[in-house]
PDB file of all heavy atoms in Angstrom:
ATOM      1  N   LEU A   1     164.439 199.800  47.798  1.00 98.00           N
ATOM      2  CA  LEU A   1     163.411 200.670  47.238  1.00 98.00           C
ATOM      3  C   LEU A   1     162.101 200.349  47.928  1.00 98.00           C
ATOM      4  O   LEU A   1     161.886 199.215  48.356  1.00 98.00           O
ATOM      5  CB  LEU A   1     163.242 200.476  45.737  1.00 98.00           C
ATOM      6  CG  LEU A   1     164.325 201.019  44.809  1.00 98.00           C
ATOM      7  CD1 LEU A   1     164.062 200.531  43.381  1.00 98.00           C
ATOM      8  CD2 LEU A   1     164.366 202.529  44.850  1.00 98.00           C
ATOM      9  N   ARG A   2     161.208 201.333  48.000  1.00 98.00           N
ATOM     10  CA  ARG A   2     159.864 201.092  48.478  1.00 98.00           C
ATOM     11  C   ARG A   2     158.860 201.556  47.446  1.00 98.00           C
ATOM     12  O   ARG A   2     158.830 202.734  47.075  1.00 98.00           O
ATOM     13  CB  ARG A   2     159.575 201.809  49.803  1.00 98.00           C
ATOM     14  CG  ARG A   2     158.244 201.370  50.430  1.00 98.00           C
ATOM     15  CD  ARG A   2     157.961 202.018  51.767  1.00 98.00           C
ATOM     16  NE  ARG A   2     157.478 203.387  51.610  1.00 98.00           N
ATOM     17  CZ  ARG A   2     156.721 204.010  52.504  1.00 98.00           C
ATOM     18  NH1 ARG A   2     156.371 203.384  53.645  1.00 98.00           N
ATOM     19  NH2 ARG A   2     156.345 205.263  52.294  1.00 98.00           N
ATOM     20  N   LEU A   3     158.043 200.634  46.971  1.00 98.00           N
ATOM     21  CA  LEU A   3     156.990 200.937  46.028  1.00 98.00           C
ATOM     22  C   LEU A   3     155.706 201.210  46.761  1.00 98.00           C
ATOM     23  O   LEU A   3     155.407 200.600  47.791  1.00 98.00           O
ATOM     24  CB  LEU A   3     156.778 199.776  45.062  1.00 98.00           C
ATOM     25  CG  LEU A   3     158.009 199.251  44.313  1.00 98.00           C
ATOM     26  CD1 LEU A   3     157.601 198.136  43.365  1.00 98.00           C
ATOM     27  CD2 LEU A   3     158.723 200.375  43.579  1.00 98.00           C
ATOM     28  N   SER A   4     154.913 202.147  46.238  1.00 98.00           N
ATOM     29  CA  SER A   4     153.611 202.475  46.791  1.00 98.00           C
ATOM     30  C   SER A   4     152.560 202.386  45.707  1.00 98.00           C
ATOM     31  O   SER A   4     152.829 202.678  44.539  1.00 98.00           O
ATOM     32  CB  SER A   4     153.610 203.881  47.396  1.00 98.00           C
ATOM     33  OG  SER A   4     154.550 203.991  48.436  1.00 98.00           O
ATOM     34  N   CYS A   5     151.357 202.027  46.095  1.00 98.00           N
ATOM     35  CA  CYS A   5     150.233 201.971  45.178  1.00 98.00           C
ATOM     36  C   CYS A   5     148.990 202.481  45.899  1.00 98.00           C
ATOM     37  O   CYS A   5     148.586 201.884  46.901  1.00 98.00           O
ATOM     38  CB  CYS A   5     150.032 200.538  44.667  1.00 98.00           C
ATOM     39  SG  CYS A   5     148.558 200.294  43.665  1.00 98.00           S
ATOM     40  N   VAL A   6     148.431 203.565  45.396  1.00 97.00           N
ATOM     41  CA  VAL A   6     147.249 204.165  45.985  1.00 97.00           C
ATOM     42  C   VAL A   6     146.036 203.843  45.122  1.00 97.00           C
ATOM     43  O   VAL A   6     146.052 204.078  43.913  1.00 97.00           O
ATOM     44  CB  VAL A   6     147.397 205.683  46.140  1.00 97.00           C
ATOM     45  CG1 VAL A   6     146.150 206.279  46.794  1.00 97.00           C
ATOM     46  CG2 VAL A   6     148.626 206.019  46.973  1.00 97.00           C
ATOM     47  N   ALA A   7     144.990 203.334  45.735  1.00 95.00           N
ATOM     48  CA  ALA A   7     143.786 202.947  45.019  1.00 95.00           C
ATOM     49  C   ALA A   7     142.665 203.952  45.281  1.00 95.00           C
ATOM     50  O   ALA A   7     142.407 204.324  46.427  1.00 95.00           O
ATOM     51  CB  ALA A   7     143.329 201.554  45.442  1.00 95.00           C
ATOM     52  N   SER A   8     142.021 204.370  44.228  1.00 93.00           N
ATOM     53  CA  SER A   8     140.821 205.191  44.366  1.00 93.00           C
ATOM     54  C   SER A   8     139.620 204.302  44.617  1.00 93.00           C
ATOM     55  O   SER A   8     139.687 203.076  44.496  1.00 93.00           O
ATOM     56  CB  SER A   8     140.611 206.030  43.106  1.00 93.00           C
ATOM     57  OG  SER A   8     140.324 205.206  41.992  1.00 93.00           O
ATOM     58  N   GLY A   9     138.492 204.924  44.979  1.00 84.00           N
ATOM     59  CA  GLY A   9     137.277 204.149  45.200  1.00 84.00           C
ATOM     60  C   GLY A   9     137.106 203.715  46.641  1.00 84.00           C
ATOM     61  O   GLY A   9     137.889 204.067  47.516  1.00 84.00           O
ATOM     62  N   THR A  10     136.081 202.916  46.867  1.00 85.00           N
ATOM     63  CA  THR A  10     135.685 202.519  48.218  1.00 85.00           C
ATOM     64  C   THR A  10     135.822 201.034  48.487  1.00 85.00           C
ATOM     65  O   THR A  10     135.373 200.553  49.528  1.00 85.00           O
ATOM     66  CB  THR A  10     134.238 202.947  48.493  1.00 85.00           C
ATOM     67  OG1 THR A  10     133.360 202.296  47.568  1.00 85.00           O
ATOM     68  CG2 THR A  10     134.082 204.459  48.345  1.00 85.00           C
ATOM     69  N   ILE A  11     136.432 200.274  47.577  1.00 91.00           N
ATOM     70  CA  ILE A  11     136.469 198.819  47.712  1.00 91.00           C
ATOM     71  C   ILE A  11     137.804 198.305  48.219  1.00 91.00           C
ATOM     72  O   ILE A  11     137.972 197.086  48.360  1.00 91.00           O
ATOM     73  CB  ILE A  11     136.143 198.139  46.365  1.00 91.00           C
ATOM     74  CG1 ILE A  11     137.215 198.438  45.328  1.00 91.00           C
ATOM     75  CG2 ILE A  11     134.769 198.577  45.870  1.00 91.00           C
ATOM     76  CD1 ILE A  11     137.038 197.659  44.040  1.00 91.00           C
ATOM     77  N   PHE A  12     138.760 199.171  48.500  1.00 93.00           N
ATOM     78  CA  PHE A  12     140.104 198.731  48.856  1.00 93.00           C
ATOM     79  C   PHE A  12     140.100 197.789  50.052  1.00 93.00           C
ATOM     80  O   PHE A  12     140.735 196.728  50.023  1.00 93.00           O
ATOM     81  CB  PHE A  12     140.999 199.938  49.124  1.00 93.00           C
ATOM     82  CG  PHE A  12     142.419 199.575  49.478  1.00 93.00           C
ATOM     83  CD1 PHE A  12     143.361 199.429  48.480  1.00 93.00           C
ATOM     84  CD2 PHE A  12     142.792 199.384  50.794  1.00 93.00           C
ATOM     85  CE1 PHE A  12     144.679 199.093  48.791  1.00 93.00           C
ATOM     86  CE2 PHE A  12     144.104 199.048  51.117  1.00 93.00           C
ATOM     87  CZ  PHE A  12     145.038 198.908  50.108  1.00 93.00           C
ATOM     88  N   SER A  13     139.412 198.151  51.121  1.00 92.00           N
ATOM     89  CA  SER A  13     139.449 197.364  52.351  1.00 92.00           C
ATOM     90  C   SER A  13     138.833 195.980  52.180  1.00 92.00           C
ATOM     91  O   SER A  13     139.072 195.106  53.011  1.00 92.00           O
ATOM     92  CB  SER A  13     138.755 198.118  53.481  1.00 92.00           C
ATOM     93  OG  SER A  13     137.391 198.330  53.198  1.00 92.00           O
ATOM     94  N   PHE A  14     138.053 195.784  51.118  1.00 93.00           N
ATOM     95  CA  PHE A  14     137.413 194.489  50.872  1.00 93.00           C
ATOM     96  C   PHE A  14     138.128 193.709  49.770  1.00 93.00           C
ATOM     97  O   PHE A  14     137.584 192.718  49.283  1.00 93.00           O
ATOM     98  CB  PHE A  14     135.943 194.692  50.494  1.00 93.00           C
ATOM     99  CG  PHE A  14     135.147 195.413  51.544  1.00 93.00           C
ATOM    100  CD1 PHE A  14     134.850 196.757  51.406  1.00 93.00           C
ATOM    101  CD2 PHE A  14     134.696 194.758  52.676  1.00 93.00           C
ATOM    102  CE1 PHE A  14     134.118 197.433  52.360  1.00 93.00           C
ATOM    103  CE2 PHE A  14     133.973 195.416  53.644  1.00 93.00           C
ATOM    104  CZ  PHE A  14     133.676 196.751  53.487  1.00 93.00           C
ATOM    105  N   SER A  15     139.303 194.141  49.405  1.00 95.00           N
ATOM    106  CA  SER A  15     140.017 193.560  48.275  1.00 95.00           C
ATOM    107  C   SER A  15     141.373 193.008  48.698  1.00 95.00           C
ATOM    108  O   SER A  15     142.018 193.532  49.607  1.00 95.00           O
ATOM    109  CB  SER A  15     140.227 194.621  47.194  1.00 95.00           C
ATOM    110  OG  SER A  15     139.009 195.196  46.778  1.00 95.00           O
ATOM    111  N   ALA A  16     141.773 191.965  48.017  1.00 96.00           N
ATOM    112  CA  ALA A  16     143.126 191.446  48.143  1.00 96.00           C
ATOM    113  C   ALA A  16     144.060 192.254  47.225  1.00 96.00           C
ATOM    114  O   ALA A  16     143.696 192.589  46.098  1.00 96.00           O
ATOM    115  CB  ALA A  16     143.178 189.974  47.782  1.00 96.00           C
ATOM    116  N   MET A  17     145.249 192.545  47.721  1.00 97.00           N
ATOM    117  CA  MET A  17     146.224 193.295  46.961  1.00 97.00           C
ATOM    118  C   MET A  17     147.433 192.432  46.664  1.00 97.00           C
ATOM    119  O   MET A  17     147.758 191.500  47.404  1.00 97.00           O
ATOM    120  CB  MET A  17     146.666 194.550  47.725  1.00 97.00           C
ATOM    121  CG  MET A  17     145.549 195.495  48.073  1.00 97.00           C
ATOM    122  SD  MET A  17     144.735 196.180  46.605  1.00 97.00           S
ATOM    123  CE  MET A  17     146.116 197.043  45.816  1.00 97.00           C
ATOM    124  N   ALA A  18     148.102 192.739  45.566  1.00 98.00           N
ATOM    125  CA  ALA A  18     149.270 191.969  45.186  1.00 98.00           C
ATOM    126  C   ALA A  18     150.217 192.823  44.356  1.00 98.00           C
ATOM    127  O   ALA A  18     149.824 193.839  43.772  1.00 98.00           O
ATOM    128  CB  ALA A  18     148.861 190.730  44.377  1.00 98.00           C
ATOM    129  N   TRP A  19     151.472 192.415  44.340  1.00 98.00           N
ATOM    130  CA  TRP A  19     152.455 192.952  43.434  1.00 98.00           C
ATOM    131  C   TRP A  19     152.932 191.845  42.501  1.00 98.00           C
ATOM    132  O   TRP A  19     153.220 190.734  42.946  1.00 98.00           O
ATOM    133  CB  TRP A  19     153.665 193.517  44.202  1.00 98.00           C
ATOM    134  CG  TRP A  19     153.393 194.781  44.941  1.00 98.00           C
ATOM    135  CD1 TRP A  19     153.038 194.924  46.252  1.00 98.00           C
ATOM    136  CD2 TRP A  19     153.459 196.114  44.413  1.00 98.00           C
ATOM    137  NE1 TRP A  19     152.880 196.253  46.580  1.00 98.00           N
ATOM    138  CE2 TRP A  19     153.127 197.004  45.455  1.00 98.00           C
ATOM    139  CE3 TRP A  19     153.769 196.635  43.143  1.00 98.00           C
ATOM    140  CZ2 TRP A  19     153.106 198.389  45.286  1.00 98.00           C
ATOM    141  CZ3 TRP A  19     153.726 198.007  42.983  1.00 98.00           C
ATOM    142  CH2 TRP A  19     153.401 198.858  44.028  1.00 98.00           C
ATOM    143  N   HIS A  20     152.988 192.164  41.226  1.00 98.00           N
ATOM    144  CA  HIS A  20     153.557 191.290  40.213  1.00 98.00           C
ATOM    145  C   HIS A  20     154.738 192.009  39.565  1.00 98.00           C
ATOM    146  O   HIS A  20     154.861 193.215  39.667  1.00 98.00           O
ATOM    147  CB  HIS A  20     152.534 190.946  39.148  1.00 98.00           C
ATOM    148  CG  HIS A  20     151.363 190.144  39.622  1.00 98.00           C
ATOM    149  ND1 HIS A  20     150.380 190.671  40.443  1.00 98.00           N
ATOM    150  CD2 HIS A  20     151.013 188.847  39.399  1.00 98.00           C
ATOM    151  CE1 HIS A  20     149.461 189.752  40.694  1.00 98.00           C
ATOM    152  NE2 HIS A  20     149.830 188.634  40.074  1.00 98.00           N
ATOM    153  N   ARG A  21     155.577 191.270  38.888  1.00 98.00           N
ATOM    154  CA  ARG A  21     156.654 191.881  38.130  1.00 98.00           C
ATOM    155  C   ARG A  21     156.897 191.115  36.843  1.00 98.00           C
ATOM    156  O   ARG A  21     156.572 189.942  36.727  1.00 98.00           O
ATOM    157  CB  ARG A  21     157.955 191.931  38.947  1.00 98.00           C
ATOM    158  CG  ARG A  21     158.592 190.581  39.218  1.00 98.00           C
ATOM    159  CD  ARG A  21     159.789 190.713  40.154  1.00 98.00           C
ATOM    160  NE  ARG A  21     160.436 189.429  40.419  1.00 98.00           N
ATOM    161  CZ  ARG A  21     161.385 189.245  41.325  1.00 98.00           C
ATOM    162  NH1 ARG A  21     161.833 190.281  42.039  1.00 98.00           N
ATOM    163  NH2 ARG A  21     161.911 188.056  41.495  1.00 98.00           N
ATOM    164  N   GLN A  22     157.477 191.819  35.882  1.00 98.00           N
ATOM    165  CA  GLN A  22     157.780 191.226  34.583  1.00 98.00           C
ATOM    166  C   GLN A  22     159.133 191.713  34.112  1.00 98.00           C
ATOM    167  O   GLN A  22     159.314 192.919  33.878  1.00 98.00           O
ATOM    168  CB  GLN A  22     156.687 191.562  33.561  1.00 98.00           C
ATOM    169  CG  GLN A  22     156.854 190.843  32.237  1.00 98.00           C
ATOM    170  CD  GLN A  22     155.623 190.995  31.363  1.00 98.00           C
ATOM    171  OE1 GLN A  22     154.817 191.893  31.554  1.00 98.00           O
ATOM    172  NE2 GLN A  22     155.475 190.087  30.410  1.00 98.00           N
ATOM    173  N   ALA A  23     160.050 190.796  33.972  1.00 96.00           N
ATOM    174  CA  ALA A  23     161.369 191.110  33.443  1.00 96.00           C
ATOM    175  C   ALA A  23     161.342 191.018  31.925  1.00 96.00           C
ATOM    176  O   ALA A  23     160.498 190.322  31.354  1.00 96.00           O
ATOM    177  CB  ALA A  23     162.418 190.145  34.006  1.00 96.00           C
ATOM    178  N   PRO A  24     162.248 191.719  31.238  1.00 90.00           N
ATOM    179  CA  PRO A  24     162.270 191.652  29.778  1.00 90.00           C
ATOM    180  C   PRO A  24     162.391 190.221  29.268  1.00 90.00           C
ATOM    181  O   PRO A  24     163.243 189.461  29.720  1.00 90.00           O
ATOM    182  CB  PRO A  24     163.508 192.475  29.410  1.00 90.00           C
ATOM    183  CG  PRO A  24     163.687 193.417  30.552  1.00 90.00           C
ATOM    184  CD  PRO A  24     163.267 192.647  31.769  1.00 90.00           C
ATOM    185  N   GLY A  25     161.503 189.850  28.357  1.00 93.00           N
ATOM    186  CA  GLY A  25     161.544 188.523  27.766  1.00 93.00           C
ATOM    187  C   GLY A  25     160.988 187.430  28.633  1.00 93.00           C
ATOM    188  O   GLY A  25     161.060 186.246  28.244  1.00 93.00           O
ATOM    189  N   LYS A  26     160.413 187.750  29.790  1.00 95.00           N
ATOM    190  CA  LYS A  26     159.893 186.748  30.691  1.00 95.00           C
ATOM    191  C   LYS A  26     158.417 187.004  30.979  1.00 95.00           C
ATOM    192  O   LYS A  26     157.900 188.105  30.760  1.00 95.00           O
ATOM    193  CB  LYS A  26     160.670 186.732  31.998  1.00 95.00           C
ATOM    194  CG  LYS A  26     162.156 186.424  31.852  1.00 95.00           C
ATOM    195  CD  LYS A  26     162.880 186.412  33.180  1.00 95.00           C
ATOM    196  CE  LYS A  26     162.447 185.255  34.044  1.00 95.00           C
ATOM    197  NZ  LYS A  26     163.232 185.184  35.319  1.00 95.00           N
ATOM    198  N   ARG A  27     157.730 185.970  31.457  1.00 96.00           N
ATOM    199  CA  ARG A  27     156.330 186.101  31.819  1.00 96.00           C
ATOM    200  C   ARG A  27     156.179 186.856  33.131  1.00 96.00           C
ATOM    201  O   ARG A  27     157.081 186.854  33.969  1.00 96.00           O
ATOM    202  CB  ARG A  27     155.681 184.730  31.954  1.00 96.00           C
ATOM    203  CG  ARG A  27     155.425 184.001  30.639  1.00 96.00           C
ATOM    204  CD  ARG A  27     154.508 182.812  30.868  1.00 96.00           C
ATOM    205  NE  ARG A  27     154.076 182.228  29.612  1.00 96.00           N
ATOM    206  CZ  ARG A  27     154.616 181.145  29.080  1.00 96.00           C
ATOM    207  NH1 ARG A  27     155.607 180.532  29.687  1.00 96.00           N
ATOM    208  NH2 ARG A  27     154.149 180.690  27.929  1.00 96.00           N
ATOM    209  N   ARG A  28     155.047 187.510  33.287  1.00 97.00           N
ATOM    210  CA  ARG A  28     154.754 188.190  34.524  1.00 97.00           C
ATOM    211  C   ARG A  28     154.614 187.184  35.651  1.00 97.00           C
ATOM    212  O   ARG A  28     153.996 186.116  35.479  1.00 97.00           O
ATOM    213  CB  ARG A  28     153.470 189.008  34.380  1.00 97.00           C
ATOM    214  CG  ARG A  28     153.200 189.950  35.529  1.00 97.00           C
ATOM    215  CD  ARG A  28     152.002 190.866  35.247  1.00 97.00           C
ATOM    216  NE  ARG A  28     152.224 191.689  34.074  1.00 97.00           N
ATOM    217  CZ  ARG A  28     151.391 192.624  33.654  1.00 97.00           C
ATOM    218  NH1 ARG A  28     150.247 192.855  34.321  1.00 97.00           N
ATOM    219  NH2 ARG A  28     151.665 193.330  32.577  1.00 97.00           N
ATOM    220  N   GLU A  29     155.184 187.492  36.807  1.00 97.00           N
ATOM    221  CA  GLU A  29     155.149 186.590  37.934  1.00 97.00           C
ATOM    222  C   GLU A  29     154.619 187.284  39.175  1.00 97.00           C
ATOM    223  O   GLU A  29     154.809 188.485  39.371  1.00 97.00           O
ATOM    224  CB  GLU A  29     156.535 185.997  38.210  1.00 97.00           C
ATOM    225  CG  GLU A  29     157.571 187.030  38.645  1.00 97.00           C
ATOM    226  CD  GLU A  29     158.893 186.415  39.019  1.00 97.00           C
ATOM    227  OE1 GLU A  29     158.947 185.195  39.274  1.00 97.00           O
ATOM    228  OE2 GLU A  29     159.910 187.156  39.060  1.00 97.00           O
ATOM    229  N   LEU A  30     153.981 186.503  40.034  1.00 98.00           N
ATOM    230  CA  LEU A  30     153.485 187.022  41.298  1.00 98.00           C
ATOM    231  C   LEU A  30     154.639 187.156  42.274  1.00 98.00           C
ATOM    232  O   LEU A  30     155.438 186.238  42.451  1.00 98.00           O
ATOM    233  CB  LEU A  30     152.434 186.057  41.861  1.00 98.00           C
ATOM    234  CG  LEU A  30     151.820 186.417  43.211  1.00 98.00           C
ATOM    235  CD1 LEU A  30     151.034 187.720  43.131  1.00 98.00           C
ATOM    236  CD2 LEU A  30     150.908 185.286  43.696  1.00 98.00           C
ATOM    237  N   VAL A  31     154.716 188.314  42.948  1.00 98.00           N
ATOM    238  CA  VAL A  31     155.778 188.602  43.889  1.00 98.00           C
ATOM    239  C   VAL A  31     155.285 188.460  45.323  1.00 98.00           C
ATOM    240  O   VAL A  31     155.929 187.812  46.152  1.00 98.00           O
ATOM    241  CB  VAL A  31     156.363 190.002  43.656  1.00 98.00           C
ATOM    242  CG1 VAL A  31     157.393 190.340  44.729  1.00 98.00           C
ATOM    243  CG2 VAL A  31     156.988 190.089  42.272  1.00 98.00           C
ATOM    244  N   ALA A  32     154.164 189.104  45.644  1.00 98.00           N
ATOM    245  CA  ALA A  32     153.663 189.113  47.005  1.00 98.00           C
ATOM    246  C   ALA A  32     152.181 189.426  47.006  1.00 98.00           C
ATOM    247  O   ALA A  32     151.682 190.107  46.116  1.00 98.00           O
ATOM    248  CB  ALA A  32     154.423 190.134  47.871  1.00 98.00           C
ATOM    249  N   THR A  33     151.470 188.935  48.021  1.00 98.00           N
ATOM    250  CA  THR A  33     150.054 189.210  48.173  1.00 98.00           C
ATOM    251  C   THR A  33     149.752 189.636  49.605  1.00 98.00           C
ATOM    252  O   THR A  33     150.456 189.270  50.546  1.00 98.00           O
ATOM    253  CB  THR A  33     149.179 187.976  47.858  1.00 98.00           C
ATOM    254  OG1 THR A  33     149.485 186.909  48.770  1.00 98.00           O
ATOM    255  CG2 THR A  33     149.415 187.501  46.424  1.00 98.00           C
TER     256      THR A  33
END
């Protein structure tokens, strides 16, 4: 699968991006930055 995330505004290029995930019954975890 390929996930996409589009950000509005003008700060994207100056920001760090990340993906997190949360499985049922578990804490949210960092996947990639």
Side-chain angles (χ1 to χ4, degrees):
L1 287 171
R2 190 178 78 155
L3 307 182
S4 299
C5 174
V6 181
S8 65
T10 61
I11 66 174
F12 181 89
S13 62
F14 302 101
S15 303
M17 301 297 300
W19 289 95
H20 296 71
R21 69 186 181 188
Q22 187 169 20
K26 300 180 68 176
R27 288 193 171 99
R28 190 173 300 184
E29 64 175 343
L30 178 64
V31 175
T33 62

